[in-house]
Every structure is written in C-alpha cells, then in structure tokens.
Amino acid sequence: MSTDNVTPWKVEGFVDYQKLIQKFGCEPIDGKLIKRFEQVTQTKAHCWLRRGIFFSNKDLKEVLDDYEQGKQVYLYTGRGPSSEAMHLGHLIPFMFTKFMQDALDAILVIQMSDDEKYYFKGNIEGKPVEYYNRLTYENAKDIIACGFNPAKTFIFSNFKTLGGELYQNTVRVLNSITGNRIKATYGLDLNCTNGQLVWPSFQCSPAYSNSFPDILHPTGEYSDELPDGTKTYNGPHIRCLVPMAIDQDPYFRMARDFAERFKGEGYLKPATIHTKFLLSLDGFSSKMSSSGEAPILFLTDNVKLIRKKIMKHAYSGGKPTIEQHRQLGGNLALDVSYQYLLYFCEDDVKMKEIAHKYRSGEMLSGEIKAIMADYVTKIVEEHQKHREKVTPEVLRHFFNRNRKFDNSRKEKEPIELETDEVYNTYGINFDRSFGAIPSLEAIQYESHNGW
Ligand code: TRP
C-alpha cells in the first residue's frame, strides 16, 4: 500500500493510515490524550475517538491546555459544495465537529469553498460560478442538520464573503508561498489554471482568528477608525482547531508553516484532528466517493433505497456457503457492515456481542447487514427530519454575520473518569474486534483464500 494515492482531490484504493501519519508528520491519538480530553472538557470521548476513527492530530494538546486555562479557542472546518446531495461519508467530519463544538463550547466557522469547486470542476462539468454557489446553500442545509449551535456558528460562501480581514490573511499566505512549494505540496503544476494554483491559500486563511475579528474578537485592541469606518484588530489571536478528513492535511501543514513564520505578528499554528474515510460500500476502496464505482448512500435517498443498497452491495466478510460460515465465521476486518457498525453503533456491549457472534459463525452475513442497515437508516432518517426543519430563515441566520456570536462558556457537570487501564485500550490501541478471535481453522482458510 502506498500513500501517494491520497491528495485533497483524490483518494484511490486502500489507504495506509499509519504511513500517512508519518508522512504528514502527525501524532496518533492515544489513550493518554483521550484521558486528557475527558478531564479537561468534562465530556466523555465520542466513540469515534475511543475506536481510533478520529485517529490523528497535531497540537490537540495545546487546544486542551488553552481551554483548561480558560482561554477561548475556535473551530474551523469546511465543505466544497460539488453535488446537490451529500452522502453518508460527508457527514462524519461534521457530526464530529458538532461533538467538539459542544465539548469545547466553541465558536465554529464553516467555509463553503464554492470557488474551489468552480476551479477544480467548473471547466470539466461546464458549469458556471452560480451553480457552485447555489450548491453552497443546498449543502449548508445538510450541515446545519447536524445540530450546530446557532449562536456559535457562522457558515460562509467564499464567493460572497472574501474581503476584509479574511482576504487580507489570504493575501498574506498567497504572498508567502512560491509556485514550487504549491507544486511540491499538492502535485499541481503549470498545466493547472491560475485559480487552481492559488486556491490552497484560500483554505488556509480561516485558520487564523484575526480573519474574523467581529466574530472572534468582538472586544479587544482595535486601531483607530480608518477613513471607511472600519478598524483593524491588533490584539492577541486565539487558537484554531480544524476537524477534517486526513486528505485535507496538506493545507494545514502550509497554514502551520505560515503561522510559524509570522508568529512575531501573533499568528498561532492551527491544530488539527483527522478522521479516516468511511469505506466504500463494496469494500473496494478506502473512501465512499461519488466518483467511484460502488453505490453511494445519499442523505436524500429514502430509507428503503438505503436498505436495499446495503443488502445488495455491502461487501461481506462471510463465507460462501452457510455450512462453511457456521464453521469458520465472518472476517470482521473485511466485512463492510461490521466496519460501518464501528461508526454507527456507539454501544460497546452491543458491538462486542455482534463481533463474537459474527466471528464465530453464529450470525450470518444477511443478519449483520440487516443490523447495520437498521443503524444507518436510523441516522439518515433523523438527518432528513432535521434537514426539513432548516427553513429559509434558519439558513439565512447561519450565513448572517451581523449578529452577536455567543462566546461564553458554560460550567459542566463533572464526569467520572475511567482508570488508566481502560484509557490504555482507547484510540490507537483500540481492539476493533472486541476480543473476537478467529479459530485456527478460520485463519488458515482465510489466508489460504487470499483474505
Ligand atoms: N477542500 C474541502 C473539500 O473539498 C472543503 C474545505 C474548505 C475544508 N475549507 C476546509 C475542509 C477546512 C476541511 C477544513 O471538501
């Protein structure tokens, strides 16, 4: 397995996540860090943290230190609106960001990079600027449906928002990066359009808090009024944490390098936390992707269709015949239904039961598929309910900047921590098979058959 198959614009075949961590210079998330997270935020870790799905980070510790000292931090994530309908895989970073917003009680800014999609798809698809801008608002409904705090969240279209301090930071980043650096970091070259070549700086600049002085620094040190009535923020920055899929990391390496170079002017390196991709339904790629072959679980599909797609296409780690399956059991690592359950069934007790029954052959492929379909359809159903509640007024609220954002922090009820032995089993050490070990016979059969 190589790591060259992962760039912000393509993810092909299988991804070696351990190698990516090394290549991108990230830190794996271990039990110690998860303990610190729970201690500082008084929030139980999301099962995606415990189970090593959000598996890598840079400087999450610094964010927690800031939070512990009562300093403000903020969150930044984004979406390139390239299709009418988002799919299940797209939800993962947003659902997790919602969890982090609550845990850190933090303001969140969400960049809708309609410009990015125009640069990278406009010529191929023959679509105008307006098309991608319209998709911004369509996709924003799905994002809002994840439950972000309306008093703490600002969603913006790049087309409509770039200007002022955000643009000034973009210009600073643009002017600090050579073409050679862009080529080396993103694999872009002189056959690319000008838009494509400058794009990366536009994804970096929201990671600096002085890009949103009105939202993140409503009080503080400002310059005298300029002739047009605006003022410049001169006070200290607050730290940014960016939840995202690992393929977006190159942007934030660049954003961190910029901050390092300009730390004398107060810039702070954004921290990052990375998720793995949701496997494609047919199990043939590490990422559910609209450009692949496998059927996609769209958030707009009715739940009957979702169930049908799962029952028909979810790749099975079961054995070819029932007799063989009863004897040898299913391969958990290969079984797409099991892998999806690791995402969508939060209950460890339930997961343990499923793992043991399926691995031992007591549970059949059709049964595990049906269980997975139950969990996934429930999530999609809930999502659709929430999306329906996103009225034009709600949408407008999230895009409106002329309002007071709530930067207060609520006291939390203290939670009970686990023992260090328990934390040691979290994150990178998490046993994704819940102790369900294949029989020797099953191991022999599976290795013999190239599994
Ligand atoms: N480039 C991302 C995409 O194609 C969208 C995006 C913009 C983003 N800003 C971001 C993603 C910040 C993560 C963090 O979907």
Side-chain angles (χ1 to χ4, degrees), residues 3-174:
T3 50
D4 297 339
N5 52 353
V6 181
T7 78
W9 300 284
K10 77 165 202 301
V11 178
E12 284 169 0
F14 289 97
V15 178
D16 185 330
Y17 290 108
Q18 279 334 318
K19 276 204 196 130
L20 267 191
I21 285 190
Q22 279 166 13
K23 181 175 165 182
F24 290 171
C26 309
E27 295 286 328
I29 294 179
D30 61 12
K32 270 210 187 95
L33 187 56
I34 296 175
K35 177 180 180 181
R36 174 103 182 112
F37 172 86
E38 292 197 344
Q39 215 167 24
V40 170
T41 63
Q42 291 299 324
T43 303
K44 276 283 160 203
H46 196 288
C47 75
W48 297 346
L49 275 173
R50 262 191 293 126
R51 294 181 185 167
I53 290 171
F54 271 76
F55 71 113
S56 150
N57 84 103
K58 280 177 201 166
D59 287 354
L60 178 57
K61 198 185 147 295
E62 317 296 320
V63 173
L64 296 174
D65 289 349
D66 282 0
Y67 181 89
E68 190 177 40
Q69 291 163 25
K71 291 186 193 160
Q72 296 248 0
V73 295
Y74 79 106
L75 294 158
Y76 159 45
T77 192
R79 154 99 190 137
S82 57
S83 58
E84 302 278 342
M86 285 169 62
H87 63 60
L88 193 62
H90 291 141
L91 269 193
I92 308 294
F94 288 106
M95 288 168 77
F96 187 76
T97 303
K98 145 80 182 155
F99 165 81
M100 289 301 272
Q101 177 173 56
D102 293 344
L104 297 169
D105 217 343
I107 290 179
L108 160 69
V109 297
I110 301 178
Q111 177 179 62
M112 302 300 290
S113 54
D114 32 19
D115 51 352
E116 173 190 13
K117 292 301 148 178
Y118 179 69
Y119 292 145
F120 286 90
K121 296 203 157 182
N123 289 338
I124 304 165
E125 299 182 335
K127 295 282 197 332
V129 157
E130 291 78 6
Y131 170 76
Y132 299 98
N133 181 238
R134 186 175 67 72
L135 294 184
T136 280
Y137 309 111
E138 276 313 301
N139 287 185
K141 292 181 203 161
D142 282 309
I143 293 170
I144 293 167
C146 292
F148 294 109
N149 183 335
K152 287 178 181 277
T153 306
F154 175 52
I155 306 183
F156 64 99
S157 143
N158 267 2
F159 280 141
K160 298 296 163 79
T161 309
L162 272 150
E165 288 83 353
L166 179 60
Y167 183 56
Q168 284 177 351
N169 269 338
T170 310
V171 165
R172 287 185 180 104
V173 178
L174 277 167

